[in-house]
């Protein structure tokens, strides 16, 4: 049995309920501006992924940590019972490590996660999305707010910033983000729901 099948079977019930409903956080109904983008950024939260593997619907829920600097990104995906994968991205390469397997290295993390996990982790987009920013379909810079919280990105993701919260400095930051992509062309059908615990 493939690892992603084991993960999907073991995790579906564990955290899905926690991701299903999120009350709007402080500042969600205000016109407060989103916090300024930071190159040094860390957060943690929960994620729920629905995807198709070889034409069969699959799902996954779990927790993640995200630590970003200008020259490195470290992501850990975990279930309540174990670490699913650790991912390290530098300007030179991306490395994915799973339990009891040799590390896999590639220049492109998206294709590496698709091959290893069965679904694509959109890291280039998440660098912006987790902070409330995105690149719109026309190439312009999008800044999320309670009033303007949906868009389609340049690479075909439909984003909805569902709710917001205040960070330690009292600035508005995302709390829940829903991202969906159709299986058109060479892309896979994929839906990701992210609930952030907080930002540091």
């Amino acid at each position: 049995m493939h690892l992603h099948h084991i993960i999907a079977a073991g995790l579906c019930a564990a955290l899905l309920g926690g991701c299903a409903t999120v009350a709007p956080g402080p500042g969600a109904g205000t016109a407060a501006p989103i916090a300024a983008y930071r190159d040094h950024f860390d957060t943690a939260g929960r994620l729920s992924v629905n995807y198709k593997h070889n034409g069969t619907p699959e799902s996954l829920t779990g927790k993640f940590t995200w630590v970003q600097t200008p020259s490195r990104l470290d992501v850990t995906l975990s279930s309540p019972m174990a670490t699913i994968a650790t991912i390290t991205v530098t300007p030179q390469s991306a490395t994915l490590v799973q339990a009891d397997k040799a590390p896999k290295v590639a220049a492109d993390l998206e294709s590496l996660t698709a091959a290893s996990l069965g679904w694509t982790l959109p890291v280039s987009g998440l660098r912006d999305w987790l902070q409330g920013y995105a690149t719109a379909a026309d190439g312009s810079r999008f800044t999320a707010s309670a009033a303007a919280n949906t868009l389609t990105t340049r690479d075909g993701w439909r984003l909805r910033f569902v709710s917001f919260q205040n960070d330690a400095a009292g600035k508005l930051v995302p709390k829940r983000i829903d991202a969906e992509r159709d299986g058109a062309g060479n892309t896979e059908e994929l839906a990701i729901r992210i609930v952030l615990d907080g930002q540091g």
Side-chain angles (χ1 to χ4, degrees):
M1 183 177 278
H2 292 293
L3 179 63
H4 58 270
H5 289 134
I6 296 169
I7 293 165
L11 297 178
C12 283
L15 293 170
L16 188 58
C19 293
T21 41
V22 178
T30 71
I34 204 83
Y37 185 86
R38 293 175 288 160
D39 290 323
H40 293 266
F41 169 74
D42 63 88
T43 190
R46 291 161 286 149
L47 106 145
S48 171
V49 182
N50 291 296
Y51 63 101
K52 286 189 176 179
H53 182 72
N54 296 328
T56 303
E58 302 280 355
S59 63
L60 162 77
T61 57
K63 293 185 177 182
F64 73 94
T65 61
W66 179 283
V67 180
Q68 173 182 322
T69 69
S71 60
R72 183 181 171 108
L73 172 66
D74 291 288
V75 181
T76 301
L77 304 173
S78 61
S79 74
M81 299 166 286
T83 297
I84 298 168
T86 57
I87 299 164
T88 302
V89 183
T90 67
Q92 292 75 37
S93 65
T95 304
L96 186 145
V97 179
Q98 293 172 287
D100 302 323
K101 292 187 178 182
K104 296 181 181 178
V105 181
D108 173 33
L109 180 60
E110 278 79 2
S111 61
L112 182 60
T113 56
S116 300
L117 302 176
W119 55 277
T120 300
L121 182 67
V123 169
S124 55
L126 285 167
R127 288 179 184 271
D128 284 343
W129 305 349
L130 294 177
Q131 296 192 56
Y133 295 88
T135 302
D138 63 3
S140 64
R141 185 73 165 161
F142 174 85
T143 303
S145 69
N149 66 346
T150 60
L151 84 151
T152 299
T153 68
R154 186 166 51 187
D155 52 354
W157 287 92
R158 293 186 309 279
L159 297 184
R160 182 171 175 233
F161 293 86
V162 178
S163 60
F164 298 86
Q165 60 190 328
N166 291 329
D167 66 9
K171 299 291 186 180
L172 201 64
V173 292
K175 173 70 176 175
R176 176 178 149 188
I177 305 163
D178 291 353
E180 295 182 353
R181 186 174 67 179
D182 293 328
N186 294 324
T187 65
E188 64 194 322
E189 184 178 336
L190 187 61
I192 303 174
R193 176 179 294 172
I194 300 164
V195 179
L196 299 170
D197 295 335
Q199 300 187 11

